[in-house]
mmCIF file of all heavy atoms in Angstrom:
data_model
loop_
_atom_site.group_PDB
_atom_site.id
_atom_site.type_symbol
_atom_site.label_atom_id
_atom_site.label_comp_id
_atom_site.label_asym_id
_atom_site.label_seq_id
_atom_site.Cartn_x
_atom_site.Cartn_y
_atom_site.Cartn_z
ATOM 1 N N TYR A 231 5.071 0.329 -9.553
ATOM 2 C CA TYR A 231 4.033 -0.520 -8.891
ATOM 3 C C TYR A 231 2.694 -0.036 -8.978
ATOM 4 O O TYR A 231 1.696 -0.930 -8.870
ATOM 5 C CB TYR A 231 4.562 -0.567 -7.415
ATOM 6 C CG TYR A 231 5.815 -1.248 -7.194
ATOM 7 C CD1 TYR A 231 6.884 -0.443 -6.810
ATOM 8 C CD2 TYR A 231 6.005 -2.605 -7.314
ATOM 9 C CE1 TYR A 231 8.127 -1.090 -6.614
ATOM 10 C CE2 TYR A 231 7.252 -3.198 -7.058
ATOM 11 C CZ TYR A 231 8.238 -2.501 -6.793
ATOM 12 O OH TYR A 231 9.499 -3.033 -6.587
ATOM 13 N N LEU A 232 2.353 1.232 -9.201
ATOM 14 C CA LEU A 232 0.998 1.660 -9.203
ATOM 15 C C LEU A 232 0.117 1.355 -10.553
ATOM 16 O O LEU A 232 -0.935 0.968 -10.446
ATOM 17 C CB LEU A 232 0.967 3.217 -8.826
ATOM 18 C CG LEU A 232 1.419 3.566 -7.431
ATOM 19 C CD1 LEU A 232 1.332 5.041 -7.273
ATOM 20 C CD2 LEU A 232 0.616 2.879 -6.364
ATOM 21 N N GLU A 233 0.842 1.645 -11.634
ATOM 22 C CA GLU A 233 0.071 1.453 -12.886
ATOM 23 C C GLU A 233 -0.311 0.101 -13.116
ATOM 24 O O GLU A 233 -1.444 -0.153 -13.570
ATOM 25 C CB GLU A 233 1.004 1.977 -14.054
ATOM 26 C CG GLU A 233 0.170 2.043 -15.384
ATOM 27 C CD GLU A 233 0.890 2.697 -16.510
ATOM 28 O OE1 GLU A 233 1.886 3.449 -16.211
ATOM 29 O OE2 GLU A 233 0.427 2.582 -17.591
ATOM 30 N N PRO A 234 0.393 -0.942 -12.884
ATOM 31 C CA PRO A 234 -0.033 -2.343 -13.155
ATOM 32 C C PRO A 234 -1.259 -2.737 -12.263
ATOM 33 O O PRO A 234 -2.135 -3.414 -12.726
ATOM 34 C CB PRO A 234 1.199 -3.213 -12.675
ATOM 35 C CG PRO A 234 2.395 -2.258 -12.804
ATOM 36 C CD PRO A 234 1.841 -0.981 -12.462
ATOM 37 N N VAL A 235 -1.337 -2.165 -11.067
ATOM 38 C CA VAL A 235 -2.536 -2.312 -10.263
ATOM 39 C C VAL A 235 -3.705 -1.655 -10.807
ATOM 40 O O VAL A 235 -4.744 -2.258 -10.866
ATOM 41 C CB VAL A 235 -2.265 -1.850 -8.777
ATOM 42 C CG1 VAL A 235 -3.508 -2.055 -7.922
ATOM 43 C CG2 VAL A 235 -1.150 -2.733 -8.165
ATOM 44 N N ALA A 236 -3.547 -0.432 -11.163
ATOM 45 C CA ALA A 236 -4.649 0.379 -11.783
ATOM 46 C C ALA A 236 -5.190 -0.254 -12.941
ATOM 47 O O ALA A 236 -6.485 -0.184 -13.191
ATOM 48 C CB ALA A 236 -4.158 1.893 -12.027
ATOM 49 N N THR A 237 -4.346 -0.893 -13.794
ATOM 50 C CA THR A 237 -4.803 -1.369 -15.084
ATOM 51 C C THR A 237 -5.305 -2.831 -14.954
ATOM 52 O O THR A 237 -5.729 -3.453 -15.979
ATOM 53 C CB THR A 237 -3.680 -1.262 -16.198
ATOM 54 O OG1 THR A 237 -2.518 -2.013 -15.707
ATOM 55 C CG2 THR A 237 -3.358 0.101 -16.457
ATOM 56 N N GLY A 238 -5.133 -3.407 -13.805
ATOM 57 C CA GLY A 238 -5.536 -4.800 -13.599
ATOM 58 C C GLY A 238 -4.498 -5.828 -13.893
ATOM 59 O O GLY A 238 -4.748 -7.089 -13.976
ATOM 60 N N GLU A 239 -3.305 -5.348 -14.289
ATOM 61 C CA GLU A 239 -2.230 -6.320 -14.602
ATOM 62 C C GLU A 239 -1.491 -6.979 -13.348
ATOM 63 O O GLU A 239 -0.861 -7.985 -13.416
ATOM 64 C CB GLU A 239 -1.136 -5.632 -15.342
ATOM 65 C CG GLU A 239 -1.625 -5.056 -16.749
ATOM 66 C CD GLU A 239 -0.595 -4.293 -17.508
ATOM 67 O OE1 GLU A 239 0.582 -4.416 -17.075
ATOM 68 O OE2 GLU A 239 -0.956 -3.397 -18.350
ATOM 69 N N ALA A 240 -1.731 -6.328 -12.186
ATOM 70 C CA ALA A 240 -1.173 -6.852 -10.968
ATOM 71 C C ALA A 240 -2.161 -6.647 -9.750
ATOM 72 O O ALA A 240 -3.039 -5.759 -9.805
ATOM 73 C CB ALA A 240 0.123 -6.146 -10.651
ATOM 74 N N VAL A 241 -1.924 -7.342 -8.696
ATOM 75 C CA VAL A 241 -2.701 -7.220 -7.414
ATOM 76 C C VAL A 241 -1.600 -7.042 -6.351
ATOM 77 O O VAL A 241 -0.529 -7.748 -6.342
ATOM 78 C CB VAL A 241 -3.481 -8.393 -7.202
ATOM 79 C CG1 VAL A 241 -4.172 -8.413 -5.804
ATOM 80 C CG2 VAL A 241 -4.571 -8.586 -8.198
ATOM 81 N N MET A 242 -1.930 -6.194 -5.380
ATOM 82 C CA MET A 242 -0.943 -5.943 -4.324
ATOM 83 C C MET A 242 -1.586 -6.110 -2.974
ATOM 84 O O MET A 242 -2.813 -6.243 -2.906
ATOM 85 C CB MET A 242 -0.335 -4.571 -4.508
ATOM 86 C CG MET A 242 -1.246 -3.339 -4.241
ATOM 87 S SD MET A 242 -0.337 -1.721 -4.371
ATOM 88 C CE MET A 242 0.820 -1.809 -3.030
ATOM 89 N N GLY A 243 -0.790 -6.008 -1.916
ATOM 90 C CA GLY A 243 -1.338 -6.181 -0.566
ATOM 91 C C GLY A 243 -0.534 -5.394 0.448
ATOM 92 O O GLY A 243 0.613 -5.056 0.089
ATOM 93 N N ALA A 244 -1.118 -5.190 1.507
ATOM 94 C CA ALA A 244 -0.297 -4.630 2.733
ATOM 95 C C ALA A 244 -0.231 -5.721 3.774
ATOM 96 O O ALA A 244 -1.214 -6.251 4.253
ATOM 97 C CB ALA A 244 -1.158 -3.373 3.248
ATOM 98 N N ALA A 245 1.019 -5.952 4.292
ATOM 99 C CA ALA A 245 1.355 -7.029 5.242
ATOM 100 C C ALA A 245 1.647 -6.329 6.519
ATOM 101 O O ALA A 245 2.771 -5.906 6.764
ATOM 102 C CB ALA A 245 2.465 -7.913 4.690
ATOM 103 N N ILE A 246 0.716 -6.356 7.520
ATOM 104 C CA ILE A 246 0.923 -5.703 8.764
ATOM 105 C C ILE A 246 0.732 -6.726 9.893
ATOM 106 O O ILE A 246 1.712 -6.903 10.698
ATOM 107 C CB ILE A 246 -0.097 -4.573 8.917
ATOM 108 C CG1 ILE A 246 0.062 -3.418 7.793
ATOM 109 C CG2 ILE A 246 0.152 -3.871 10.289
ATOM 110 C CD1 ILE A 246 -1.054 -2.448 7.780
ATOM 111 N N SER A 247 -0.389 -7.353 10.064
ATOM 112 C CA SER A 247 -0.709 -8.256 11.150
ATOM 113 C C SER A 247 0.232 -9.407 11.127
ATOM 114 O O SER A 247 0.739 -9.896 10.042
ATOM 115 C CB SER A 247 -2.150 -8.733 11.019
ATOM 116 O OG SER A 247 -3.095 -7.601 11.167
ATOM 117 N N GLU A 248 0.439 -9.985 12.341
ATOM 118 C CA GLU A 248 1.306 -11.128 12.505
ATOM 119 C C GLU A 248 0.701 -12.167 13.385
ATOM 120 O O GLU A 248 -0.407 -11.839 14.032
ATOM 121 C CB GLU A 248 2.653 -10.743 13.174
ATOM 122 C CG GLU A 248 3.441 -9.744 12.313
ATOM 123 C CD GLU A 248 4.711 -9.160 12.990
ATOM 124 O OE1 GLU A 248 4.933 -9.411 14.115
ATOM 125 O OE2 GLU A 248 5.491 -8.528 12.351
ATOM 126 N N PRO A 249 1.173 -13.431 13.465
ATOM 127 C CA PRO A 249 0.446 -14.439 14.296
ATOM 128 C C PRO A 249 0.101 -13.946 15.614
ATOM 129 O O PRO A 249 -0.861 -14.323 16.226
ATOM 130 C CB PRO A 249 1.471 -15.588 14.132
ATOM 131 C CG PRO A 249 2.180 -15.421 12.929
ATOM 132 C CD PRO A 249 2.268 -13.946 12.813
ATOM 133 N N ASP A 250 1.084 -13.177 16.247
ATOM 134 C CA ASP A 250 0.957 -12.817 17.670
ATOM 135 C C ASP A 250 0.692 -11.287 17.822
ATOM 136 O O ASP A 250 0.643 -10.762 18.885
ATOM 137 C CB ASP A 250 2.222 -13.093 18.517
ATOM 138 C CG ASP A 250 2.424 -14.565 18.567
ATOM 139 O OD1 ASP A 250 1.566 -15.301 18.613
ATOM 140 O OD2 ASP A 250 3.645 -15.012 18.438
ATOM 141 N N VAL A 251 0.433 -10.626 16.657
ATOM 142 C CA VAL A 251 0.260 -9.233 16.718
ATOM 143 C C VAL A 251 -1.008 -8.811 15.896
ATOM 144 O O VAL A 251 -0.971 -9.004 14.696
ATOM 145 C CB VAL A 251 1.396 -8.471 16.220
ATOM 146 C CG1 VAL A 251 1.217 -6.908 16.217
ATOM 147 C CG2 VAL A 251 2.663 -8.709 17.029
ATOM 148 N N GLY A 252 -2.121 -8.306 16.467
ATOM 149 C CA GLY A 252 -3.199 -7.839 15.782
ATOM 150 C C GLY A 252 -3.527 -6.396 15.988
ATOM 151 O O GLY A 252 -2.890 -5.580 15.292
ATOM 152 N N SER A 253 -4.297 -5.974 16.950
ATOM 153 C CA SER A 253 -4.657 -4.689 17.124
ATOM 154 C C SER A 253 -3.443 -3.764 17.567
ATOM 155 O O SER A 253 -3.335 -2.558 17.184
ATOM 156 C CB SER A 253 -5.825 -4.539 18.260
ATOM 157 O OG SER A 253 -6.953 -5.173 17.810
ATOM 158 N N ASP A 254 -2.536 -4.340 18.266
ATOM 159 C CA ASP A 254 -1.362 -3.691 18.724
ATOM 160 C C ASP A 254 -0.204 -3.585 17.696
ATOM 161 O O ASP A 254 0.722 -4.399 17.784
ATOM 162 C CB ASP A 254 -0.812 -4.222 20.120
ATOM 163 C CG ASP A 254 0.293 -3.414 20.680
ATOM 164 O OD1 ASP A 254 0.560 -2.383 20.133
ATOM 165 O OD2 ASP A 254 0.909 -3.946 21.633
ATOM 166 N N VAL A 255 -0.458 -2.747 16.733
ATOM 167 C CA VAL A 255 0.490 -2.728 15.524
ATOM 168 C C VAL A 255 1.958 -2.376 16.049
ATOM 169 O O VAL A 255 2.840 -2.864 15.480
ATOM 170 C CB VAL A 255 0.021 -1.671 14.485
ATOM 171 C CG1 VAL A 255 0.955 -1.636 13.352
ATOM 172 C CG2 VAL A 255 -1.396 -2.057 14.054
ATOM 173 N N SER A 256 2.028 -1.604 17.042
ATOM 174 C CA SER A 256 3.367 -1.207 17.434
ATOM 175 C C SER A 256 4.170 -2.325 18.060
ATOM 176 O O SER A 256 5.310 -2.186 18.380
ATOM 177 C CB SER A 256 3.293 -0.039 18.523
ATOM 178 O OG SER A 256 2.601 -0.545 19.793
ATOM 179 N N SER A 257 3.510 -3.583 18.248
ATOM 180 C CA SER A 257 4.204 -4.707 18.803
ATOM 181 C C SER A 257 4.729 -5.679 17.777
ATOM 182 O O SER A 257 5.030 -6.813 18.017
ATOM 183 C CB SER A 257 3.324 -5.468 19.757
ATOM 184 O OG SER A 257 3.200 -4.709 20.925
ATOM 185 N N VAL A 258 4.712 -5.208 16.389
ATOM 186 C CA VAL A 258 5.275 -5.979 15.408
ATOM 187 C C VAL A 258 6.667 -6.454 15.862
ATOM 188 O O VAL A 258 7.479 -5.617 16.335
ATOM 189 C CB VAL A 258 5.462 -5.203 14.146
ATOM 190 C CG1 VAL A 258 6.291 -5.758 13.114
ATOM 191 C CG2 VAL A 258 4.030 -4.977 13.430
ATOM 192 N N SER A 259 6.956 -7.701 15.870
ATOM 193 C CA SER A 259 8.071 -8.202 16.575
ATOM 194 C C SER A 259 9.407 -7.719 16.175
ATOM 195 O O SER A 259 9.680 -7.427 15.103
ATOM 196 C CB SER A 259 8.057 -9.789 16.352
ATOM 197 O OG SER A 259 9.102 -10.379 17.058
ATOM 198 N N THR A 260 10.260 -7.562 17.151
ATOM 199 C CA THR A 260 11.583 -6.962 16.971
ATOM 200 C C THR A 260 12.523 -7.612 17.912
ATOM 201 O O THR A 260 12.854 -6.961 18.939
ATOM 202 C CB THR A 260 11.539 -5.461 17.140
ATOM 203 O OG1 THR A 260 12.908 -5.031 17.299
ATOM 204 C CG2 THR A 260 10.809 -5.027 18.333
ATOM 205 N N ARG A 261 13.025 -8.760 17.614
ATOM 206 C CA ARG A 261 14.124 -9.343 18.354
ATOM 207 C C ARG A 261 15.384 -8.512 18.133
ATOM 208 O O ARG A 261 15.345 -7.733 17.222
ATOM 209 C CB ARG A 261 14.256 -10.754 18.101
ATOM 210 C CG ARG A 261 12.979 -11.521 18.117
ATOM 211 C CD ARG A 261 12.445 -11.566 19.599
ATOM 212 N NE ARG A 261 11.065 -12.131 19.600
ATOM 213 C CZ ARG A 261 10.800 -13.330 19.825
ATOM 214 N NH1 ARG A 261 11.665 -14.292 19.914
ATOM 215 N NH2 ARG A 261 9.431 -13.753 19.914
ATOM 216 N N ALA A 262 16.380 -8.802 18.907
ATOM 217 C CA ALA A 262 17.659 -8.247 18.428
ATOM 218 C C ALA A 262 17.967 -8.723 17.037
ATOM 219 O O ALA A 262 17.277 -9.548 16.547
ATOM 220 C CB ALA A 262 18.771 -8.723 19.481
ATOM 221 N N GLU A 263 18.946 -8.249 16.529
ATOM 222 C CA GLU A 263 19.322 -8.659 15.099
ATOM 223 C C GLU A 263 19.417 -10.209 15.011
ATOM 224 O O GLU A 263 19.989 -10.802 15.961
ATOM 225 C CB GLU A 263 20.681 -7.985 14.668
ATOM 226 C CG GLU A 263 20.497 -6.470 14.528
ATOM 227 C CD GLU A 263 21.746 -5.873 13.955
ATOM 228 O OE1 GLU A 263 22.622 -6.685 13.539
ATOM 229 O OE2 GLU A 263 21.848 -4.746 13.884
ATOM 230 N N LYS A 264 18.948 -10.821 13.944
ATOM 231 C CA LYS A 264 18.941 -12.193 13.760
ATOM 232 C C LYS A 264 20.380 -12.744 13.849
ATOM 233 O O LYS A 264 21.233 -12.350 13.151
ATOM 234 C CB LYS A 264 18.393 -12.464 12.382
ATOM 235 C CG LYS A 264 18.194 -13.916 12.094
ATOM 236 C CD LYS A 264 17.230 -14.052 10.932
ATOM 237 C CE LYS A 264 17.870 -13.604 9.551
ATOM 238 N NZ LYS A 264 18.770 -14.741 9.069
ATOM 239 N N SER A 265 20.432 -13.803 14.675
ATOM 240 C CA SER A 265 21.754 -14.387 14.805
ATOM 241 C C SER A 265 22.011 -15.373 13.688
ATOM 242 O O SER A 265 21.085 -15.744 13.033
ATOM 243 C CB SER A 265 21.755 -15.147 16.145
ATOM 244 O OG SER A 265 20.790 -16.178 16.263
ATOM 245 N N GLU A 266 23.248 -15.634 13.573
ATOM 246 C CA GLU A 266 23.577 -16.553 12.330
ATOM 247 C C GLU A 266 22.961 -17.928 12.412
ATOM 248 O O GLU A 266 22.888 -18.466 13.455
ATOM 249 C CB GLU A 266 25.229 -16.696 12.397
ATOM 250 C CG GLU A 266 25.644 -17.401 11.137
ATOM 251 C CD GLU A 266 25.631 -16.486 9.905
ATOM 252 O OE1 GLU A 266 25.556 -15.272 10.106
ATOM 253 O OE2 GLU A 266 25.470 -17.049 8.838
ATOM 254 N N GLY A 267 22.289 -18.225 11.301
ATOM 255 C CA GLY A 267 21.678 -19.538 11.184
ATOM 256 C C GLY A 267 20.248 -19.584 11.778
ATOM 257 O O GLY A 267 19.618 -20.685 11.798
ATOM 258 N N GLN A 268 19.725 -18.550 12.412
ATOM 259 C CA GLN A 268 18.416 -18.568 12.877
ATOM 260 C C GLN A 268 17.382 -18.310 11.769
ATOM 261 O O GLN A 268 17.366 -17.261 11.038
ATOM 262 C CB GLN A 268 18.238 -17.485 13.958
ATOM 263 C CG GLN A 268 16.868 -17.547 14.723
ATOM 264 C CD GLN A 268 16.779 -16.428 15.796
ATOM 265 O OE1 GLN A 268 17.455 -15.413 15.627
ATOM 266 N NE2 GLN A 268 15.987 -16.693 16.689
ATOM 267 N N GLY A 269 16.444 -19.232 11.573
ATOM 268 C CA GLY A 269 15.487 -19.085 10.511
ATOM 269 C C GLY A 269 14.203 -18.483 10.909
ATOM 270 O O GLY A 269 13.924 -18.248 12.041
ATOM 271 N N ALA A 270 13.388 -18.281 10.043
ATOM 272 C CA ALA A 270 12.071 -17.648 10.294
ATOM 273 C C ALA A 270 11.245 -18.374 11.103
ATOM 274 O O ALA A 270 10.413 -17.839 11.920
ATOM 275 C CB ALA A 270 11.315 -17.245 8.976
ATOM 276 N N SER A 271 11.278 -19.623 11.095
ATOM 277 C CA SER A 271 10.372 -20.570 11.937
ATOM 278 C C SER A 271 10.663 -20.376 13.449
ATOM 279 O O SER A 271 9.891 -20.794 14.271
ATOM 280 C CB SER A 271 10.624 -22.116 11.540
ATOM 281 O OG SER A 271 12.009 -22.443 11.707
ATOM 282 N N GLU A 272 11.793 -19.799 13.719
ATOM 283 C CA GLU A 272 12.244 -19.611 15.119
ATOM 284 C C GLU A 272 11.827 -18.252 15.647
ATOM 285 O O GLU A 272 12.104 -17.864 16.770
ATOM 286 C CB GLU A 272 13.692 -19.842 15.296
ATOM 287 C CG GLU A 272 14.223 -21.205 14.903
ATOM 288 C CD GLU A 272 15.755 -21.286 14.990
ATOM 289 O OE1 GLU A 272 16.331 -21.289 16.066
ATOM 290 O OE2 GLU A 272 16.346 -21.354 13.942
ATOM 291 N N ARG A 273 11.199 -17.511 14.787
ATOM 292 C CA ARG A 273 10.879 -16.082 15.102
ATOM 293 C C ARG A 273 9.456 -15.857 14.942
ATOM 294 O O ARG A 273 8.725 -16.469 14.169
ATOM 295 C CB ARG A 273 11.710 -15.155 14.196
ATOM 296 C CG ARG A 273 13.178 -15.385 14.185
ATOM 297 C CD ARG A 273 13.883 -14.718 13.011
ATOM 298 N NE ARG A 273 13.640 -13.256 13.266
ATOM 299 C CZ ARG A 273 14.388 -12.494 14.067
ATOM 300 N NH1 ARG A 273 15.235 -13.036 14.823
ATOM 301 N NH2 ARG A 273 14.209 -11.205 14.155
ATOM 302 N N SER A 274 8.901 -14.852 15.622
ATOM 303 C CA SER A 274 7.581 -14.344 15.302
ATOM 304 C C SER A 274 7.768 -12.935 14.770
ATOM 305 O O SER A 274 8.690 -12.275 15.069
ATOM 306 C CB SER A 274 6.678 -14.377 16.553
ATOM 307 O OG SER A 274 7.217 -13.493 17.486
ATOM 308 N N GLY A 275 6.877 -12.548 13.958
ATOM 309 C CA GLY A 275 6.885 -11.162 13.367
ATOM 310 C C GLY A 275 7.920 -11.102 12.254
ATOM 311 O O GLY A 275 8.442 -12.044 11.750
ATOM 312 N N SER A 276 8.189 -9.768 11.835
ATOM 313 C CA SER A 276 9.014 -9.636 10.644
ATOM 314 C C SER A 276 10.108 -8.714 10.934
ATOM 315 O O SER A 276 9.877 -7.542 11.472
ATOM 316 C CB SER A 276 8.166 -9.125 9.517
ATOM 317 O OG SER A 276 7.253 -10.082 9.047
ATOM 318 N N THR A 277 11.313 -9.069 10.669
ATOM 319 C CA THR A 277 12.389 -8.117 10.859
ATOM 320 C C THR A 277 13.198 -7.949 9.566
ATOM 321 O O THR A 277 13.110 -8.807 8.737
ATOM 322 C CB THR A 277 13.425 -8.565 11.984
ATOM 323 O OG1 THR A 277 14.034 -9.848 11.526
ATOM 324 C CG2 THR A 277 12.722 -8.969 13.311
ATOM 325 N N ALA A 278 13.837 -6.809 9.446
ATOM 326 C CA ALA A 278 14.690 -6.599 8.140
ATOM 327 C C ALA A 278 16.009 -5.958 8.567
ATOM 328 O O ALA A 278 15.974 -5.072 9.402
ATOM 329 C CB ALA A 278 13.950 -5.585 7.189
#
């Protein structure tokens, strides 16, 4: 990942802020584990 950015072949980014989370980084959303069939539109934040 590093060399393509250094040579200009790629551009990367850091994804931290969320629609409801700005300065309070520790509040990046964390619902319980995603239930079956629940899509991203029903959630805020990012879970993995």
Side-chain angles (χ1 to χ4, degrees):
Y231 295 107
L232 296 180
E233 186 169 348
V235 173
T237 58
E239 297 172 22
V241 171
M242 65 180 297
I246 303 169
S247 296
E248 299 175 352
D250 298 321
V251 179
S253 297
D254 185 8
V255 177
S256 65
S257 290
V258 165
S259 183
T260 164
R261 309 295 167 94
E263 291 187 6
K264 185 162 70 80
S265 61
E266 191 67 28
Q268 185 179 26
S271 61
E272 300 174 72
R273 310 168 58 80
S274 63
S276 294
T277 64

